[in-house]
Amino acid sequence: GGRSGWWRVTDKGARFVRGEINVPEHVLVYDARRLRYADDARWINIQEALGNAFSYAELMGIAL
């Protein structure tokens, strides 16, 4: 339909990126639908999700 590959950040996604909420580390998904959180799901913040690849604070221009 001409929109393949077009995505937008959800409100929840924006809140996660701003560090306002944590999300489960593992989620079971099928056919682009969330089935449930994994049994061992640990709730993480954006810094934990990104790991040590780069500085989140530097990227966002903030002091942590």
Side-chain angles (χ1 to χ4, degrees):
R3 294 188 56 108
S4 179
W6 287 64
W7 299 88
R8 68 179 180 87
V9 176
T10 63
D11 291 335
K12 188 174 186 177
R15 291 176 56 214
F16 175 68
V17 169
R18 289 192 302 263
E20 297 172 0
I21 63 171
N22 291 351
V23 297
E25 186 175 26
H26 297 106
V27 177
L28 301 175
V29 176
Y30 177 76
D31 198 20
R33 293 189 187 103
R34 184 188 76 218
L35 297 178
R36 63 184 173 87
Y37 301 135
D39 293 335
D40 63 347
R42 178 174 81 89
W43 290 70
I44 60 172
N45 62 37
I46 184 73
Q47 294 173 43
E48 292 172 301
L50 294 174
N52 295 324
F54 58 91
S55 168
Y56 176 75
E58 184 179 332
L59 175 69
M60 299 303 289
I62 58 175
L64 295 178

